[in-house]
Amino acid sequence: MTNAHLPEPRGPLSDALLAELRGSDAGFPPPPADAYGDDLQLALYVLYELHYLGFDGVPDDREWDPRLLALRAGLEDRFLQALHADTPVRPSDTAERALDELQLEPVGAADGSLSHFLRDHGTLEHVREYAASRSLYHLKEADPHAWVIPRLRGRAKAGMVAVEFDEFGAGRAEEIHARLFADLMTDLNLDNAYGRYLDAAPAEALATVNLMSLFGLHRALRGALVGHFATVEVTSSPASRRLAQAMRRTNAGPAAVRFYTEHVEADAVHEQVVRHEVVAGLLADEPWLEADVVFGIRATGRLEDRLATRLLAAWRDGRPALRTNRVTRPSRVRQPHGA
C-alpha cells in the first residue's frame, strides 16, 4: 500500500515542517497564535501521522526525531490550553451527567446538527463533501483509541477491547469499519485512498482527528481519551440513523447506506458497554480521573460543533465546504488502510 503524500503548507509553520520532512534544516518559526487555525492544525496532523502510516519519502525513524517531538509538544500545549479555556470543567461536574447531556438530541439543522441537515436538505454533493472531510477521521477512527488499552485495567480494559473488536471487524478484514467507510467512499465516487483529502479538509476537520491522536498518544490523557471514546459511542446511533436516511434519499449507494445502518444497532450496544464498563470501570480504579473524562467529552463536542458550523455555513450560502472547489473523482479504487 502506498502511503499518503505530504500535503501543501497552510502557513509559515507547516511550510517549515514540510520542508524539514523533505530534507531541509532551516528551523521552525514560533507557533501561530490561533490554536484552531489551518497552520497549527496541519502541522500537528502531519506530526501525528508519523505515528500512523507516515508519508511517502519520509523515513520511518522521523517518528521519534527529538526536534520533531519538541515541536509537537509545543503545539500540543497550545492546543490543550485553548481547549481547556473553551471547555472548563467544574469540580461538581461528573462523567455520568456529561454523558447524559449528550443524549439531549438537537431539534434539527437549526440547532447546528449536520445529520439533520443532510437527512432533510442535503444534496448528493453535500454528502460527498461530508464524506471527504470525515474520511481523515473514519479511515483511522479506531486506531488511536487502541493506544489506551495497555493503560487500562480490569472492567475498563475488557469493555474497551470488546468494543474495539467490533470496530476492527470482529476478526473479518472486510468488516473493519475503516474498510466499510472506504466502501462508502467508493459508492460516492470518491477516492478512498488513505489521506487523499488532507489538502481539501478544513482546519475544523483536522482538529477532530488531532484531538483523538493527542489523547491517544499520552498516558496522562487516558481519562480524556475514554471521554472522547464515550462521546463517539453515545452520539453515534441516533446520528447514524439520520445519516443512513440521508444516504437513501440522495441515492448514495448500498455501501454508503450500510456504513451508517451498521452503526445504528452496533453503537446502541456499544454505548451501554462504554458507560457501564469502560467509564465506570476506569473511575472505579482511578476516581481522580473524572474531571479528565468530562474534559474529553466536552472537548470532543466542542470540536465537532466547530466542524458542523463550518460545513453548514458553507452549504447554506451555496458554497463548497472544502478548501478545494470540488472533491475529485478517483482514477482507481485502492485498498484502504486496515483492510
Side-chain angles (χ1 to χ4, degrees):
M1 178 181 61
T2 302
N3 294 350
H5 298 294
L6 286 169
E8 293 298 316
R10 302 190 189 182
L13 177 63
S14 55
D15 189 30
L17 171 60
L18 293 166
E20 168 77 22
L21 293 176
R22 291 187 176 100
S24 175
D25 187 15
F28 304 120
D34 184 0
Y36 301 119
D38 276 296
D39 196 21
L40 187 144
Q41 289 298 324
L42 178 63
L44 200 51
Y45 185 98
V46 168
L47 289 164
Y48 283 143
E49 189 56 37
L50 299 178
H51 297 287
Y52 292 99
L53 295 185
F55 295 98
D56 276 346
V58 178
D60 289 346
D61 61 4
R62 298 307 299 272
E63 176 183 6
W64 300 110
D65 184 307
R67 292 181 66 244
L68 298 182
L69 292 175
L71 174 63
R72 197 189 85 192
L75 301 184
E76 288 175 331
D77 286 346
R78 182 69 57 89
F79 191 27
L80 272 172
Q81 288 170 9
L83 288 168
H84 278 295
D86 292 337
T87 53
V89 177
R90 301 182 301 270
S92 60
D93 289 337
T94 66
E96 182 178 6
R97 185 178 305 119
L99 290 173
D100 287 343
E101 290 169 355
L102 294 177
Q103 295 184 310
L104 300 175
E105 281 280 279
V107 175
D111 285 349
S113 168
L114 276 173
S115 59
H116 278 94
F117 177 91
L118 290 170
R119 182 194 66 184
D120 298 336
H121 310 291
T123 65
L124 184 59
E125 197 60 21
H126 291 147
V127 167
R128 295 181 74 248
E129 286 197 325
Y130 176 75
S133 67
R134 295 299 281 176
S135 66
L136 302 178
Y137 182 100
H138 282 300
L139 293 180
K140 63 158 57 90
E141 179 180 352
D143 295 349
H145 294 147
W147 279 326
V148 83
I149 292 172
R151 299 161 182 168
L152 302 177
R153 295 177 291 182
R155 288 166 55 201
K157 176 174 284 193
M160 191 80 190
V161 170
V163 176
E164 286 283 86
F165 182 64
D166 286 347
E167 295 289 338
F168 288 119
R172 300 187 302 274
E174 70 277 8
E175 297 296 316
I176 293 174
H177 285 191
R179 173 60 183 267
L180 297 182
F181 193 83
D183 293 341
L184 169 150
M185 296 178 75
T186 300
D187 261 5
L188 291 170
N189 202 18
L190 295 169
D191 191 332
N192 67 11
Y194 181 83
R196 169 64 182 80
Y197 293 103
L198 177 53
D199 281 325
E204 292 83 356
L206 301 186
T208 65
V209 186
N210 287 340
L211 185 72
M212 61 181 184
S213 298
L214 169 65
F215 290 165
L217 281 166
H218 292 273
R219 180 180 176 275
L221 296 173
R222 63 194 179 280
L225 188 282
V226 166
H228 181 282
F229 184 67
T231 303
V232 171
E233 299 301 333
V234 168
T235 59
S236 174
S237 186
S240 292
R241 182 176 291 105
R242 290 188 289 270
L243 289 168
Q245 293 168 341
M247 298 297 159
R248 290 191 188 96
R249 189 177 59 78
T250 58
N251 294 315
V257 173
R258 192 204 166 192
F259 177 80
Y260 290 108
T261 55
E262 171 77 12
H263 284 72
V264 173
E265 293 186 10
D267 288 347
V269 175
H270 291 171
E271 176 194 342
Q272 297 305 309
V273 176
V274 170
R275 270 181 173 269
H276 301 299
E277 303 301 326
V278 182
V279 175
L282 172 69
L283 295 181
D285 286 337
E286 302 182 275
W288 54 87
L289 292 180
E290 184 141 30
D292 288 352
V293 175
V294 175
F295 170 66
I297 292 168
R298 292 185 176 162
T300 302
R302 176 168 182 79
L303 294 186
E304 291 293 337
D305 287 346
R306 285 177 57 87
L307 176 59
T309 298
R310 164 70 182 246
L311 297 181
L312 288 173
W315 293 340
R316 286 167 176 157
D317 287 347
R319 296 181 284 107
L322 302 183
R323 299 179 71 251
T324 54
N325 290 332
R326 56 190 287 272
V327 282
T328 305
R329 273 67 174 176
S331 57
R332 61 188 178 94
V333 176
R334 308 178 209 184
Q335 288 295 307
H337 170 45

